[in-house]
Amino acid sequence: MSITSIRNKISLKLGIQGKIFMTFGLLSLLSIVTITVIIYVNMRDTIKHNAITSVEDSIRQADETLNLMLEEIDRLNTVAVTNKNTVIDTVLSPSEEISYEWFLEQKQINDFLSGLIGYKPYISRIAVIGLNGKVFFTGSPWIDRNFLETSTMKFMLDNGERHAYFKQTGTSDAISVGRVIRYNRETIGVVMVDMKYDFIRNTYGVKPTADSVLYVLDERMELVYQSDSAPASLSPQMEDIIYRNPQASEIKEAEERTIDGKSYIVVSRRSEHTGWITRAFIPLDSLLSESARIRNLLIEVAIIIFAVVLLGALQLSSRTTLQIRRLKTMMMRVKDGNLSLPHAEIKTKDEIGDLYRVFISMIDELKRLMQDIRISEQAKREAELTALQAQIRPHFLYNSLNTIKYLAHLNSVPNIEEVSGSLIELMRGVLGNSSEFLTVREELDYVNCYISIVKYKYMGPIPVQIQVEDDALLQCRVLKLMLQPIVENAVQHGISALQKEGLILIRVYEDGGDLLIEVMDNGPGMSQEKMDSLLGEADKEESPSRFSGMGVRNVHERIRLMYGEPYGVKLFSEKGLYTKVEIRFPKLGAAPKLPQEVN
């Protein structure tokens, strides 16, 4: 099952409150975790940056302090090697030891050397060593002519053209700074100043953490100083990193290295004055131990905040969905058919309040519609009863008319027979045909039936001419009983008032794809107000058709309601000349004829 389908199923099962709670909880958790991680990462980076900056500044400050001391010692060496009367002449003097002259020379040079290192507590000894075996010194430890055979003396002679720096080990460790004494371009001895090793130890005592280790190496990559916490033995990897002699461009001031499976920050610096390289190794574990404690504290605080946020989200989601649950309860009651809702009005001004008010209005409308349905059903039952009663009447009427027609035939009364037959056909059109549409041919037949009946009212024939442009138009469908009211109106208000012979002309033709039927009489005509009254407002004085129950306006409205614009009835008339009614239908093909009721 895919993750998407699982999420969709969970979403379907959860309610709105659950979705709000989960969404709020997830967003809060994501925000808290993100903020905690950002704070922790930034704190780690800050701690590492501060440690690196602190170590770099401490090493730089130690180098500068050492450089100041070494420059001071270099100046002392320069004063000594350039002093001819006291130093050079004494070294070159032929006086032998245990002589008065030698005693005076020794006192003189000792006073001179003592004056040079006076009030300089970081200097433990200053010595002048002649290649002829004369040795003069002030301070400790003791030195004699055997020093000429040491590696320190050899290093000073090889590198002391300017200044030579050498770490001595022995009874007391010291940093020796030496310079050769030259006279007449020949080396005659060495001036050497020993700086106390405690000064180096105090100067380079940089320890950002308890287990940090610092190494100082001279230009020969020999160890000058290491921290007291330095391990007694070094692994090959650690030894390679400490004693590697890089080019100046290869020295990185700070970098993270993994040594023997342990992460370190390695800070390196080369002194411009002495050329010594200082390397500090800071274990990340101990450096970030405080950050781990703060991380745990952040996690605890984040958990507490998340728990508080969850409780708040639960309360918020519950309060938010309370009104929805109440509205749901009301809807369930309505679903069960109970429209009598409890009086629990929701007065909130939000969307839920709007939904409640719409729901209440819908219930009121539903009650009204149900009441209307009950009234309608009652009226329907009454109508069905009336219809049941009315079913008997047409049959009885048809049978009665057929009996009259039969008696008229037996008694040789053709006019009564004709009127009865025409009336039967009209009654069948009105009562027996349930279809809403008839063909043009059927409409014309009903008009002929009507004329056959009404001519006996006026005791004379009513001339009606029918002109059909195309016999196919007789099969077009039109609304039932459209022509009869128009022809009735022409007979009653047109030719019946004439003193001369009247005429009714019915034309059926096609115009622009529509079916047009014109009914024209040569009656007295009518005014524009009368025509407007026929098509506009109901004519209170007009007697409705005794067969159809509707007049010209009713015909017009039925056509307009069925087909819309531009279909309907138009009137044209001139006083004393004629009246023409134009009926426009859409041209509809013939439909299958429904079986008519038979007696």
mmCIF file with all atom_site columns, all heavy atoms in Angstrom, residues 45-61:
data_model
loop_
_atom_site.group_PDB
_atom_site.id
_atom_site.type_symbol
_atom_site.label_atom_id
_atom_site.label_alt_id
_atom_site.label_comp_id
_atom_site.label_asym_id
_atom_site.label_entity_id
_atom_site.label_seq_id
_atom_site.pdbx_PDB_ins_code
_atom_site.Cartn_x
_atom_site.Cartn_y
_atom_site.Cartn_z
_atom_site.occupancy
_atom_site.B_iso_or_equiv
_atom_site.pdbx_formal_charge
_atom_site.auth_seq_id
_atom_site.auth_comp_id
_atom_site.auth_asym_id
_atom_site.auth_atom_id
_atom_site.pdbx_PDB_model_num
ATOM 1   N N   . ASP A 1 45 ? 28.559 25.925 15.834 1.00 0.00 ? 45 ASP A N   1
ATOM 2   C CA  . ASP A 1 45 ? 29.455 26.712 14.977 1.00 0.00 ? 45 ASP A CA  1
ATOM 3   C C   . ASP A 1 45 ? 30.051 27.882 15.749 1.00 0.00 ? 45 ASP A C   1
ATOM 4   O O   . ASP A 1 45 ? 31.239 28.216 15.567 1.00 0.00 ? 45 ASP A O   1
ATOM 5   C CB  . ASP A 1 45 ? 28.693 27.215 13.755 1.00 0.00 ? 45 ASP A CB  1
ATOM 6   C CG  . ASP A 1 45 ? 28.267 26.078 12.831 1.00 0.00 ? 45 ASP A CG  1
ATOM 7   O OD1 . ASP A 1 45 ? 28.845 24.982 12.942 1.00 0.00 ? 45 ASP A OD1 1
ATOM 8   O OD2 . ASP A 1 45 ? 27.342 26.289 12.014 1.00 0.00 ? 45 ASP A OD2 1
ATOM 9   N N   . THR A 1 46 ? 29.229 28.502 16.607 1.00 0.00 ? 46 THR A N   1
ATOM 10  C CA  . THR A 1 46 ? 29.737 29.634 17.393 1.00 0.00 ? 46 THR A CA  1
ATOM 11  C C   . THR A 1 46 ? 30.806 29.185 18.374 1.00 0.00 ? 46 THR A C   1
ATOM 12  O O   . THR A 1 46 ? 31.838 29.855 18.544 1.00 0.00 ? 46 THR A O   1
ATOM 13  C CB  . THR A 1 46 ? 28.575 30.305 18.139 1.00 0.00 ? 46 THR A CB  1
ATOM 14  O OG1 . THR A 1 46 ? 27.603 30.746 17.194 1.00 0.00 ? 46 THR A OG1 1
ATOM 15  C CG2 . THR A 1 46 ? 29.065 31.500 18.938 1.00 0.00 ? 46 THR A CG2 1
ATOM 16  N N   . ILE A 1 47 ? 30.556 28.043 19.030 1.00 0.00 ? 47 ILE A N   1
ATOM 17  C CA  . ILE A 1 47 ? 31.546 27.535 19.985 1.00 0.00 ? 47 ILE A CA  1
ATOM 18  C C   . ILE A 1 47 ? 32.853 27.211 19.268 1.00 0.00 ? 47 ILE A C   1
ATOM 19  O O   . ILE A 1 47 ? 33.949 27.567 19.738 1.00 0.00 ? 47 ILE A O   1
ATOM 20  C CB  . ILE A 1 47 ? 30.988 26.298 20.713 1.00 0.00 ? 47 ILE A CB  1
ATOM 21  C CG1 . ILE A 1 47 ? 29.854 26.711 21.654 1.00 0.00 ? 47 ILE A CG1 1
ATOM 22  C CG2 . ILE A 1 47 ? 32.084 25.589 21.499 1.00 0.00 ? 47 ILE A CG2 1
ATOM 23  C CD1 . ILE A 1 47 ? 29.151 25.550 22.319 1.00 0.00 ? 47 ILE A CD1 1
ATOM 24  N N   . LYS A 1 48 ? 32.749 26.525 18.124 1.00 0.00 ? 48 LYS A N   1
ATOM 25  C CA  . LYS A 1 48 ? 33.966 26.196 17.376 1.00 0.00 ? 48 LYS A CA  1
ATOM 26  C C   . LYS A 1 48 ? 34.674 27.452 16.892 1.00 0.00 ? 48 LYS A C   1
ATOM 27  O O   . LYS A 1 48 ? 35.904 27.563 16.994 1.00 0.00 ? 48 LYS A O   1
ATOM 28  C CB  . LYS A 1 48 ? 33.614 25.294 16.192 1.00 0.00 ? 48 LYS A CB  1
ATOM 29  C CG  . LYS A 1 48 ? 33.196 23.892 16.601 1.00 0.00 ? 48 LYS A CG  1
ATOM 30  C CD  . LYS A 1 48 ? 33.160 22.937 15.420 1.00 0.00 ? 48 LYS A CD  1
ATOM 31  C CE  . LYS A 1 48 ? 32.045 23.262 14.477 1.00 0.00 ? 48 LYS A CE  1
ATOM 32  N NZ  . LYS A 1 48 ? 31.927 22.260 13.387 1.00 0.00 ? 48 LYS A NZ  1
ATOM 33  N N   . HIS A 1 49 ? 33.884 28.402 16.388 1.00 0.00 ? 49 HIS A N   1
ATOM 34  C CA  . HIS A 1 49 ? 34.491 29.644 15.907 1.00 0.00 ? 49 HIS A CA  1
ATOM 35  C C   . HIS A 1 49 ? 35.162 30.407 17.046 1.00 0.00 ? 49 HIS A C   1
ATOM 36  O O   . HIS A 1 49 ? 36.297 30.906 16.894 1.00 0.00 ? 49 HIS A O   1
ATOM 37  C CB  . HIS A 1 49 ? 33.413 30.513 15.253 1.00 0.00 ? 49 HIS A CB  1
ATOM 38  C CG  . HIS A 1 49 ? 33.907 31.849 14.806 1.00 0.00 ? 49 HIS A CG  1
ATOM 39  N ND1 . HIS A 1 49 ? 34.718 32.029 13.710 1.00 0.00 ? 49 HIS A ND1 1
ATOM 40  C CD2 . HIS A 1 49 ? 33.708 33.101 15.342 1.00 0.00 ? 49 HIS A CD2 1
ATOM 41  C CE1 . HIS A 1 49 ? 35.007 33.307 13.574 1.00 0.00 ? 49 HIS A CE1 1
ATOM 42  N NE2 . HIS A 1 49 ? 34.404 33.982 14.541 1.00 0.00 ? 49 HIS A NE2 1
ATOM 43  N N   . ASN A 1 50 ? 34.473 30.478 18.200 1.00 0.00 ? 50 ASN A N   1
ATOM 44  C CA  . ASN A 1 50 ? 35.066 31.188 19.347 1.00 0.00 ? 50 ASN A CA  1
ATOM 45  C C   . ASN A 1 50 ? 36.314 30.478 19.836 1.00 0.00 ? 50 ASN A C   1
ATOM 46  O O   . ASN A 1 50 ? 37.308 31.132 20.214 1.00 0.00 ? 50 ASN A O   1
ATOM 47  C CB  . ASN A 1 50 ? 34.045 31.300 20.475 1.00 0.00 ? 50 ASN A CB  1
ATOM 48  C CG  . ASN A 1 50 ? 32.904 32.240 20.134 1.00 0.00 ? 50 ASN A CG  1
ATOM 49  O OD1 . ASN A 1 50 ? 33.025 33.071 19.226 1.00 0.00 ? 50 ASN A OD1 1
ATOM 50  N ND2 . ASN A 1 50 ? 31.790 32.126 20.830 1.00 0.00 ? 50 ASN A ND2 1
ATOM 51  N N   . ALA A 1 51 ? 36.291 29.133 19.847 1.00 0.00 ? 51 ALA A N   1
ATOM 52  C CA  . ALA A 1 51 ? 37.472 28.391 20.282 1.00 0.00 ? 51 ALA A CA  1
ATOM 53  C C   . ALA A 1 51 ? 38.640 28.621 19.334 1.00 0.00 ? 51 ALA A C   1
ATOM 54  O O   . ALA A 1 51 ? 39.783 28.855 19.771 1.00 0.00 ? 51 ALA A O   1
ATOM 55  C CB  . ALA A 1 51 ? 37.143 26.901 20.372 1.00 0.00 ? 51 ALA A CB  1
ATOM 56  N N   . ILE A 1 52 ? 38.342 28.555 18.031 1.00 0.00 ? 52 ILE A N   1
ATOM 57  C CA  . ILE A 1 52 ? 39.401 28.787 17.044 1.00 0.00 ? 52 ILE A CA  1
ATOM 58  C C   . ILE A 1 52 ? 39.946 30.204 17.171 1.00 0.00 ? 52 ILE A C   1
ATOM 59  O O   . ILE A 1 52 ? 41.172 30.423 17.174 1.00 0.00 ? 52 ILE A O   1
ATOM 60  C CB  . ILE A 1 52 ? 38.866 28.527 15.624 1.00 0.00 ? 52 ILE A CB  1
ATOM 61  C CG1 . ILE A 1 52 ? 38.552 27.038 15.441 1.00 0.00 ? 52 ILE A CG1 1
ATOM 62  C CG2 . ILE A 1 52 ? 39.850 28.995 14.576 1.00 0.00 ? 52 ILE A CG2 1
ATOM 63  C CD1 . ILE A 1 52 ? 37.819 26.725 14.159 1.00 0.00 ? 52 ILE A CD1 1
ATOM 64  N N   . THR A 1 53 ? 39.049 31.158 17.289 1.00 0.00 ? 53 THR A N   1
ATOM 65  C CA  . THR A 1 53 ? 39.485 32.551 17.419 1.00 0.00 ? 53 THR A CA  1
ATOM 66  C C   . THR A 1 53 ? 40.302 32.742 18.688 1.00 0.00 ? 53 THR A C   1
ATOM 67  O O   . THR A 1 53 ? 41.344 33.430 18.675 1.00 0.00 ? 53 THR A O   1
ATOM 68  C CB  . THR A 1 53 ? 38.261 33.474 17.440 1.00 0.00 ? 53 THR A CB  1
ATOM 69  O OG1 . THR A 1 53 ? 37.491 33.277 16.250 1.00 0.00 ? 53 THR A OG1 1
ATOM 70  C CG2 . THR A 1 53 ? 38.683 34.920 17.522 1.00 0.00 ? 53 THR A CG2 1
ATOM 71  N N   . SER A 1 54 ? 39.846 32.127 19.786 1.00 0.00 ? 54 SER A N   1
ATOM 72  C CA  . SER A 1 54 ? 40.565 32.270 21.055 1.00 0.00 ? 54 SER A CA  1
ATOM 73  C C   . SER A 1 54 ? 41.957 31.667 20.966 1.00 0.00 ? 54 SER A C   1
ATOM 74  O O   . SER A 1 54 ? 42.950 32.278 21.402 1.00 0.00 ? 54 SER A O   1
ATOM 75  C CB  . SER A 1 54 ? 39.767 31.605 22.175 1.00 0.00 ? 54 SER A CB  1
ATOM 76  O OG  . SER A 1 54 ? 40.494 31.627 23.384 1.00 0.00 ? 54 SER A OG  1
ATOM 77  N N   . VAL A 1 55 ? 42.057 30.454 20.389 1.00 0.00 ? 55 VAL A N   1
ATOM 78  C CA  . VAL A 1 55 ? 43.370 29.803 20.270 1.00 0.00 ? 55 VAL A CA  1
ATOM 79  C C   . VAL A 1 55 ? 44.273 30.587 19.333 1.00 0.00 ? 55 VAL A C   1
ATOM 80  O O   . VAL A 1 55 ? 45.472 30.795 19.624 1.00 0.00 ? 55 VAL A O   1
ATOM 81  C CB  . VAL A 1 55 ? 43.179 28.351 19.793 1.00 0.00 ? 55 VAL A CB  1
ATOM 82  C CG1 . VAL A 1 55 ? 44.526 27.714 19.470 1.00 0.00 ? 55 VAL A CG1 1
ATOM 83  C CG2 . VAL A 1 55 ? 42.465 27.539 20.847 1.00 0.00 ? 55 VAL A CG2 1
ATOM 84  N N   . GLU A 1 56 ? 43.725 31.032 18.199 1.00 0.00 ? 56 GLU A N   1
ATOM 85  C CA  . GLU A 1 56 ? 44.540 31.820 17.266 1.00 0.00 ? 56 GLU A CA  1
ATOM 86  C C   . GLU A 1 56 ? 45.045 33.095 17.923 1.00 0.00 ? 56 GLU A C   1
ATOM 87  O O   . GLU A 1 56 ? 46.220 33.462 17.776 1.00 0.00 ? 56 GLU A O   1
ATOM 88  C CB  . GLU A 1 56 ? 43.723 32.152 16.018 1.00 0.00 ? 56 GLU A CB  1
ATOM 89  C CG  . GLU A 1 56 ? 43.478 30.952 15.112 1.00 0.00 ? 56 GLU A CG  1
ATOM 90  C CD  . GLU A 1 56 ? 42.617 31.322 13.925 1.00 0.00 ? 56 GLU A CD  1
ATOM 91  O OE1 . GLU A 1 56 ? 42.003 32.422 13.975 1.00 0.00 ? 56 GLU A OE1 1
ATOM 92  O OE2 . GLU A 1 56 ? 42.531 30.540 12.968 1.00 0.00 ? 56 GLU A OE2 1
ATOM 93  N N   . ASP A 1 57 ? 44.151 33.777 18.635 1.00 0.00 ? 57 ASP A N   1
ATOM 94  C CA  . ASP A 1 57 ? 44.581 35.000 19.315 1.00 0.00 ? 57 ASP A CA  1
ATOM 95  C C   . ASP A 1 57 ? 45.612 34.701 20.393 1.00 0.00 ? 57 ASP A C   1
ATOM 96  O O   . ASP A 1 57 ? 46.597 35.451 20.560 1.00 0.00 ? 57 ASP A O   1
ATOM 97  C CB  . ASP A 1 57 ? 43.369 35.709 19.935 1.00 0.00 ? 57 ASP A CB  1
ATOM 98  C CG  . ASP A 1 57 ? 42.436 36.266 18.886 1.00 0.00 ? 57 ASP A CG  1
ATOM 99  O OD1 . ASP A 1 57 ? 42.863 36.399 17.727 1.00 0.00 ? 57 ASP A OD1 1
ATOM 100 O OD2 . ASP A 1 57 ? 41.270 36.569 19.223 1.00 0.00 ? 57 ASP A OD2 1
ATOM 101 N N   . SER A 1 58 ? 45.424 33.600 21.122 1.00 0.00 ? 58 SER A N   1
ATOM 102 C CA  . SER A 1 58 ? 46.380 33.252 22.176 1.00 0.00 ? 58 SER A CA  1
ATOM 103 C C   . SER A 1 58 ? 47.734 32.899 21.585 1.00 0.00 ? 58 SER A C   1
ATOM 104 O O   . SER A 1 58 ? 48.792 33.333 22.096 1.00 0.00 ? 58 SER A O   1
ATOM 105 C CB  . SER A 1 58 ? 45.846 32.077 23.009 1.00 0.00 ? 58 SER A CB  1
ATOM 106 O OG  . SER A 1 58 ? 44.643 32.431 23.638 1.00 0.00 ? 58 SER A OG  1
ATOM 107 N N   . ILE A 1 59 ? 47.730 32.116 20.515 1.00 0.00 ? 59 ILE A N   1
ATOM 108 C CA  . ILE A 1 59 ? 49.011 31.776 19.865 1.00 0.00 ? 59 ILE A CA  1
ATOM 109 C C   . ILE A 1 59 ? 49.676 33.019 19.295 1.00 0.00 ? 59 ILE A C   1
ATOM 110 O O   . ILE A 1 59 ? 50.899 33.216 19.425 1.00 0.00 ? 59 ILE A O   1
ATOM 111 C CB  . ILE A 1 59 ? 48.768 30.720 18.766 1.00 0.00 ? 59 ILE A CB  1
ATOM 112 C CG1 . ILE A 1 59 ? 48.312 29.405 19.396 1.00 0.00 ? 59 ILE A CG1 1
ATOM 113 C CG2 . ILE A 1 59 ? 50.021 30.510 17.935 1.00 0.00 ? 59 ILE A CG2 1
ATOM 114 C CD1 . ILE A 1 59 ? 47.932 28.346 18.385 1.00 0.00 ? 59 ILE A CD1 1
ATOM 115 N N   . ARG A 1 60 ? 48.842 33.876 18.657 1.00 0.00 ? 60 ARG A N   1
ATOM 116 C CA  . ARG A 1 60 ? 49.414 35.103 18.106 1.00 0.00 ? 60 ARG A CA  1
ATOM 117 C C   . ARG A 1 60 ? 49.994 35.975 19.219 1.00 0.00 ? 60 ARG A C   1
ATOM 118 O O   . ARG A 1 60 ? 51.100 36.527 19.089 1.00 0.00 ? 60 ARG A O   1
ATOM 119 C CB  . ARG A 1 60 ? 48.333 35.872 17.347 1.00 0.00 ? 60 ARG A CB  1
ATOM 120 C CG  . ARG A 1 60 ? 48.868 37.109 16.627 1.00 0.00 ? 60 ARG A CG  1
ATOM 121 C CD  . ARG A 1 60 ? 47.753 37.837 15.895 1.00 0.00 ? 60 ARG A CD  1
ATOM 122 N NE  . ARG A 1 60 ? 47.179 37.007 14.846 1.00 0.00 ? 60 ARG A NE  1
ATOM 123 C CZ  . ARG A 1 60 ? 45.987 36.431 14.923 1.00 0.00 ? 60 ARG A CZ  1
ATOM 124 N NH1 . ARG A 1 60 ? 45.234 36.605 16.023 1.00 0.00 ? 60 ARG A NH1 1
ATOM 125 N NH2 . ARG A 1 60 ? 45.543 35.683 13.940 1.00 0.00 ? 60 ARG A NH2 1
ATOM 126 N N   . GLN A 1 61 ? 49.269 36.084 20.301 1.00 0.00 ? 61 GLN A N   1
ATOM 127 C CA  . GLN A 1 61 ? 49.763 36.884 21.427 1.00 0.00 ? 61 GLN A CA  1
ATOM 128 C C   . GLN A 1 61 ? 51.015 36.259 22.030 1.00 0.00 ? 61 GLN A C   1
ATOM 129 O O   . GLN A 1 61 ? 51.971 36.967 22.391 1.00 0.00 ? 61 GLN A O   1
ATOM 130 C CB  . GLN A 1 61 ? 48.671 37.014 22.482 1.00 0.00 ? 61 GLN A CB  1
ATOM 131 C CG  . GLN A 1 61 ? 49.054 37.929 23.644 1.00 0.00 ? 61 GLN A CG  1
ATOM 132 C CD  . GLN A 1 61 ? 47.906 38.091 24.618 1.00 0.00 ? 61 GLN A CD  1
ATOM 133 O OE1 . GLN A 1 61 ? 46.832 37.551 24.410 1.00 0.00 ? 61 GLN A OE1 1
ATOM 134 N NE2 . GLN A 1 61 ? 48.146 38.854 25.678 1.00 0.00 ? 61 GLN A NE2 1
#
